[in-house]
């Protein structure tokens, strides 16, 4: 009961945030639950290295604390938590100097002997999701029962269960139980919808053609400009020459006319 209350408090506190997803928080090993004394590495992945991402967390005992101050230590670009403790259970995210934050992940650390390995990041609608019920000291292929929102889904003889083609209805709190070993904590699985890009083959072909034309437009523009310049330049040069000659022509005619007038005058005398 205590674990459920703590989880719900952490989960609803994460909903108060509105992430911009400008960075991506990844967890290695990729799981939302860990045994006590395990090691976990968290990384803020982003193309903008100048953003200055800092890893922060909220737990039941600490709020808005950052890696390297009261917990964890930086190893290169990752924050490593060695010998993780149940008190490390909480909500983790990346935050930059500019303000935006990344996606959030909920990590649960248990001192018990059973954990549920489930996706730590949201899964896409239509994907297959595999859940693994794992014990700390024995092989992980023991028979296990899987629960969603407190109700039994099914019992699996090999300790793992695959949900095929997940939908929004599969979103919820999951846990597992291995007889004789105990029950895992609960973890929330988030399902996100597929992008609305369903188009007809004709529309898709047109979109592809438009994309290709957009890619080739700069080259086509350069070639067209060069072609026009090559065609236009001779006409431009010839026009300038003609104008120049036309302007000079009256100047040549005037002296000639004067000479003719002089000759006529002399002849009359």
């Amino acid at each position: 009961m205590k674990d459920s209350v703590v989880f719900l408090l952490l989960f609803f506190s994460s909903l108060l945030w509105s992430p911009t997803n400008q960075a991506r928080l990844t967890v290695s090993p990729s799981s939302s639950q860990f045994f006590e004394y395990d090691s976990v590495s968290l990384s803020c992945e982003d193309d903008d290295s100048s953003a200055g991402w800092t890893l922060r967390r909220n737990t039941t005992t600490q709020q808005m604390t950052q890696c390297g101050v009261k917990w964890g230590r930086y190893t290169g670009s990752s924050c490593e938590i060695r010998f993780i403790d149940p008190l490390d259970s909480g909500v983790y995210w990346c935050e930059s100097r500019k303000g935006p934050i990344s996606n959030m992940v909920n990590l649960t650390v248990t001192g018990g002997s059973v954990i549920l390995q489930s996706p730590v990041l949201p899964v896409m609608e239509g994907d297959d999701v595999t859940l693994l019920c794992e014990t700390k000291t024995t092989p992980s292929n023991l028979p296990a029962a899987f629960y969603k929102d407190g109700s039994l889904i099914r019992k699996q003889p090999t300790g793992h269960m695959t949900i095929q083609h997940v939908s929004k209805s599969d979103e919820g709190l999951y846990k597992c139980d291995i007889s004789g070993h105990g029950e895992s904590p609960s973890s929330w699985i988030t399902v996100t919808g597929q992008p609305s890009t369903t188009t007809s083959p004709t529309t898709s072909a047109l979109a592809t053609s438009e994309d290709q034309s957009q890619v080739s437009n700069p080259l086509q523009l350069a070639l067209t400009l060069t072609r026009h310049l090559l065609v236009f330049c001779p006409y431009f040069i010839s026009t300038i020459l003609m104008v120049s000659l036309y302007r000079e022509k009256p100047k040549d005619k005037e002296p000639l006319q004067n000479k003719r007038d002089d000759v006529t005058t002399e002849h009359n005398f």
Side-chain angles (χ1 to χ4, degrees):
M1 180 67 182
K2 182 180 178 182
D3 290 339
S4 299
V5 171
V6 169
F7 175 83
L8 289 174
L9 286 173
L10 294 173
F11 174 71
F12 285 116
S13 70
S14 70
L15 295 180
L16 297 176
W17 295 85
S18 178
T20 58
N21 292 328
Q22 294 193 9
R24 178 182 173 89
L25 174 59
T26 59
V27 181
S28 180
S30 182
S31 179
S32 57
Q33 294 186 14
F34 296 93
F35 290 117
E36 189 177 14
Y37 306 127
D38 282 347
S39 293
V40 180
S41 180
L42 303 100
S43 301
C44 300
E45 297 180 355
D46 187 16
D47 294 333
D48 185 8
S49 59
S50 65
W53 293 99
T54 300
L55 188 65
R56 295 186 182 274
R57 74 178 187 181
N58 283 344
T59 66
T60 54
T61 58
Q62 299 175 340
Q63 301 293 310
M64 298 287 292
T65 54
Q66 69 180 58
C67 175
V69 176
K70 294 184 178 181
W71 58 275
R73 65 174 185 177
Y74 278 105
T75 305
S77 59
S78 301
C79 177
E80 185 179 11
I81 308 176
R82 285 190 168 186
F83 310 114
I84 198 167
D85 185 89
L87 292 177
D88 292 312
S89 298
V91 181
Y92 292 74
W93 70 92
C94 300
E95 185 175 327
S96 76
R97 294 189 299 265
K98 301 175 183 178
I101 61 175
S102 70
N103 59 298
M104 290 185 169
V105 298
N106 289 280
L107 300 185
T108 303
V109 185
T110 178
S113 57
V114 178
I115 62 171
L116 175 67
Q117 287 194 359
S118 61
V120 65
L121 298 177
V123 295
M124 192 70 69
E125 222 173 359
D127 289 348
D128 295 342
V129 175
T130 298
L131 307 179
L132 175 63
C133 199
E134 182 180 3
T135 59
K136 190 172 185 178
T137 57
T138 58
S140 297
N141 57 355
L142 296 175
F146 293 85
Y147 297 83
K148 175 181 179 289
D149 299 329
S151 300
L152 176 66
I153 305 174
R154 70 185 79 156
K155 294 182 179 180
Q156 293 293 102
T158 56
H160 69 272
M161 179 186 73
T162 298
I163 307 172
Q164 295 182 336
H165 311 301
V166 295
S167 63
K168 291 293 288 184
S169 62
D170 294 310
E171 199 171 64
L173 276 174
Y174 288 80
K175 66 179 180 179
C176 66
D177 179 86
I178 297 179
S179 180
H181 294 272
E183 185 179 270
S184 75
S186 297
S187 283
W188 183 271
I189 294 181
T190 302
V191 180
T192 59
Q194 289 278 2
S196 55
T197 57
T198 54
T199 55
S200 63
T202 304
T203 306
S204 178
L206 289 174
T208 303
S209 176
E210 289 176 0
D211 291 341
Q212 291 176 349
S213 66
Q214 288 176 358
V215 172
S216 60
N217 270 344
L219 180 59
Q220 289 180 352
L221 181 61
L223 292 174
T224 303
L225 181 61
T226 303
R227 185 168 60 250
H228 282 294
L229 286 174
L230 291 175
V231 173
F232 179 74
C233 280
Y235 287 102
F236 181 73
I237 294 172
S238 62
T239 303
I240 292 177
L241 290 174
M242 290 179 65
V243 170
S244 299
L245 290 174
Y246 179 80
R247 288 181 176 179
E248 292 176 2
K249 192 173 181 180
K251 295 179 181 179
D252 293 338
K253 281 184 176 181
E254 186 176 357
L256 181 59
Q257 184 65 37
N258 292 336
K259 287 180 181 180
R260 286 179 180 177
D261 293 340
D262 292 341
V263 170
T264 304
T265 304
E266 290 177 359
H267 180 73
N268 292 332
F269 281 106

